Amino acid sequence: MSDTGKIRDDSALRIRNLNPYFTLHVDSTLTYQLELNRDPSKYFFFMKNAPVGLKIKENGLLTFKADKSYFLSGRLKYDNEYKVNIGVQNLNNPQERVDTSFTLVFFTTEIMPSHVKPTVSNVLYMDEGDTISFKVQCETGTYPIEGINFYSNIPIKTNSSIKGCNDDFTWSPPYDFVKESDSSKTKLLILYFVGTNKIFMRDTATIRIYIKEALNYPYMKEEFSLAIHNINTYILRLKYAFFQLDKKVKKTKNTRTDFDMTTATTALGGTIFSSAASQDAKTAGTILPSVGVALVPVKEAVAPTLQAEQNQAGLIRSSIKRLEYSMRDNALVGEKDMEIAKKVTALKNELKQTQVQLIDVPLEETSSMTEEQLNAYFNNPRVNKKYRLKRK
């Protein structure tokens, strides 16, 4: 008897038939009685971290019915190891207890495939320079998708990385994406999103994107600014040429006016002297008209009429007005003027025509005058009046 008592005292409390690993099929039932190496009436069982539906009675009876609704609702998952902690304790001696655990896994032979579901349709249309953005979602089946690989029929650069469900795909085709050799100025881009689950089942979502050739607006805006700059620079050179020609015409006109006044004064003096009583005065009156007549060829030799220069000045002035009108008529409208290409072409053509028309007019750099000085001279009311068209 004493030897038997010593054996019982040295024997530790344990569960004799605990299975460390349980595997259950969907819609199956588990009933399992745990056994102690002691009198079960003096002990009770308890459980922690149990999945939904798993129960244990105080006498150690495990029960569970793996209802399919638990998995459809997402409360339980297939092939997921659930670690369940259980314990047993003496009712009279709290110090006498044992804690252990086992693993529970659910499986099914009815496999529902998971699908990759982007948030856009499988056919899209867009222009160069636009941006497309969507989320790559997943429809979870028996085995959820654990990773997504991205492929395309044409190599593209994106700012997003697609590796799993709910990742965002963002891409903007560059303005040179569509080539001249592409038919109808359209290129087809095919995107492939391949999802893989833990048992290497794959699902592929395909998106076809038709990209149309579009205007490179930032580049065309730079072209427009360059065209305006070239016209403004040419206008300044024309204004300086106009200034030089107008000054030359004005100086010649003043010289001819001085000659005309001298001729008129001489003729008038001859008339006055002819009516005088003195013989010398009459002689001077006879000579003076001849002097006035002699001054006319001198005037033509010293200050000939600059009709060609005046015509050139008038032509330059009308060309400047036409270029300024062309810039106003082809100004950009709104944040993104879709006719910017036509306007750039019109500005370039107008500038080219003006340059061809004035190819014989010598142009100099405006280094001696500022833009403000040239504009002030060109817009002077007296200058405007001189070159204003006159009614007959």
Side-chain angles (χ1 to χ4, degrees):
M1 293 297 293
S2 60
D3 294 338
T4 304
K6 289 181 181 181
I7 293 175
R8 289 184 178 178
D9 292 339
D10 294 338
S11 179
L13 176 64
R14 68 181 185 277
I15 302 176
R16 294 186 298 183
N17 64 338
L18 179 62
N19 189 346
Y21 203 92
F22 290 91
T23 303
L24 293 179
H25 187 272
V26 178
D27 287 334
S28 63
T29 301
L30 171 66
T31 302
Y32 192 81
Q33 179 65 56
L34 298 177
E35 299 178 357
L36 293 176
N37 60 344
R38 296 284 194 275
D39 184 2
S41 62
K42 298 180 180 180
Y43 298 85
F44 73 97
F45 289 82
F46 58 90
M47 184 170 52
K48 298 179 181 178
N49 300 328
V52 59
L54 181 62
K55 300 177 181 179
I56 188 171
K57 294 184 177 181
E58 293 185 359
N59 61 356
L61 179 64
L62 280 173
T63 59
F64 182 81
K65 185 177 188 313
D67 192 86
K68 193 173 183 179
S69 62
Y70 293 153
F71 301 92
L72 295 177
S73 63
R75 300 174 69 183
L76 292 178
K77 298 180 179 180
Y78 302 108
D79 289 342
N80 185 58
E81 294 185 351
Y82 293 93
K83 185 177 181 180
V84 183
N85 296 320
I86 62 172
V88 59
Q89 183 173 328
N90 192 315
L91 294 173
N92 299 319
N93 184 9
Q95 300 300 324
E96 187 181 8
R97 59 176 292 171
V98 63
D99 295 303
T100 185
S101 64
F102 64 91
T103 301
L104 182 60
V105 178
F106 305 99
F107 73 96
T108 180
T109 55
E110 181 185 356
I111 298 178
M112 297 176 60
S114 298
H115 298 287
V116 179
K117 295 287 185 179
T119 56
V120 293
S121 62
N122 57 353
V123 178
L124 300 175
Y125 298 88
M126 63 185 304
D127 296 331
E128 290 179 333
D130 293 343
T131 300
I132 183 174
S133 180
F134 57 86
K135 190 178 291 293
V136 182
Q137 296 180 339
C138 299
E139 184 180 280
T140 303
T142 303
Y143 300 101
I145 292 175
E146 296 184 348
I148 296 178
N149 293 324
F150 164 70
Y151 307 96
S152 61
N153 65 326
I154 300 174
I156 61 174
K157 294 181 180 179
T158 64
N159 296 327
S160 55
S161 178
I162 306 299
K163 294 183 178 180
C165 299
N166 297 319
D167 285 346
D168 294 318
F169 176 84
T170 303
W171 179 66
S172 179
Y175 283 103
D176 59 347
F177 185 78
V178 181
K179 307 301 180 184
E180 293 291 336
S181 58
D182 295 327
S183 62
S184 303
K185 301 298 182 182
T186 303
K187 178 173 286 188
L188 173 62
L189 174 67
I190 305 177
L191 307 180
Y192 301 95
F193 299 94
V194 182
T196 308
N197 57 22
K198 64 186 301 181
I199 60 174
F200 299 103
M201 293 181 62
R202 292 179 174 84
D203 181 72
T204 302
T206 303
I207 298 179
R208 305 170 69 89
I209 304 178
Y210 292 90
I211 298 98
K212 298 181 180 179
E213 184 181 33
L215 177 68
N216 189 344
Y217 194 81
Y219 174 78
M220 291 306 301
K221 196 169 183 180
E222 292 180 1
E223 286 284 313
F224 180 84
S225 300
L226 180 60
I228 293 294
H229 174 74
N230 292 337
I231 291 178
N232 285 327
T233 302
Y234 189 70
I235 285 177
L236 288 179
R237 297 181 65 188
L238 290 179
K239 286 183 177 179
Y240 187 70
F242 171 81
F243 169 78
Q244 297 290 346
L245 291 172
D246 187 63
K247 282 294 184 181
K248 188 176 182 179
V249 171
K250 184 177 181 181
K251 182 179 179 181
T252 302
K253 182 178 180 181
N254 291 337
T255 303
R256 292 177 65 86
T257 301
D258 292 340
F259 270 103
D260 291 339
M261 292 299 297
T262 303
T263 301
T265 302
T266 303
L268 180 60
T271 302
I272 294 173
F273 281 117
S274 297
S275 61
S278 173
Q279 187 62 35
D280 294 336
K282 290 182 178 181
T283 301
T286 303
I287 297 173
L288 286 177
S290 299
V291 175
V293 174
L295 288 176
V296 174
V298 175
K299 178 187 69 172
E300 295 298 332
V302 175
T305 303
L306 301 180
Q307 190 63 39
E309 286 77 0
Q310 189 167 1
N311 291 339
Q312 283 184 346
L315 180 61
I316 290 176
R317 187 175 183 83
S318 62
S319 299
I320 292 174
K321 293 291 186 180
R322 188 171 67 251
L323 288 175
E324 291 178 343
Y325 171 78
S326 179
M327 287 193 297
R328 291 192 298 269
D329 188 53
N330 292 286
L332 298 182
V333 179
E335 295 182 359
K336 194 171 184 179
D337 192 340
M338 299 311 297
E339 295 185 354
I340 185 173
K342 296 181 180 179
K343 293 182 178 181
V344 170
T345 303
L347 290 173
K348 289 182 177 180
N349 291 337
E350 188 66 35
L351 177 60
K352 186 176 181 180
Q353 292 176 4
T354 304
Q355 289 173 334
V356 172
Q357 186 178 10
L358 302 178
I359 192 171
D360 295 330
V361 178
L363 300 180
E364 301 177 9
E365 296 297 333
T366 60
S367 58
S368 60
M369 296 183 67
T370 64
E371 181 179 355
E372 290 76 12
Q373 291 173 332
L374 287 173
N375 289 330
Y377 184 85
F378 186 81
N379 297 320
N380 189 291
R382 292 184 179 180
V383 178
N384 290 336
K385 184 178 180 180
K386 185 191 303 185
Y387 291 93
R388 186 182 302 164
L389 295 176
K390 298 180 180 179
R391 297 181 180 178
K392 294 183 179 180

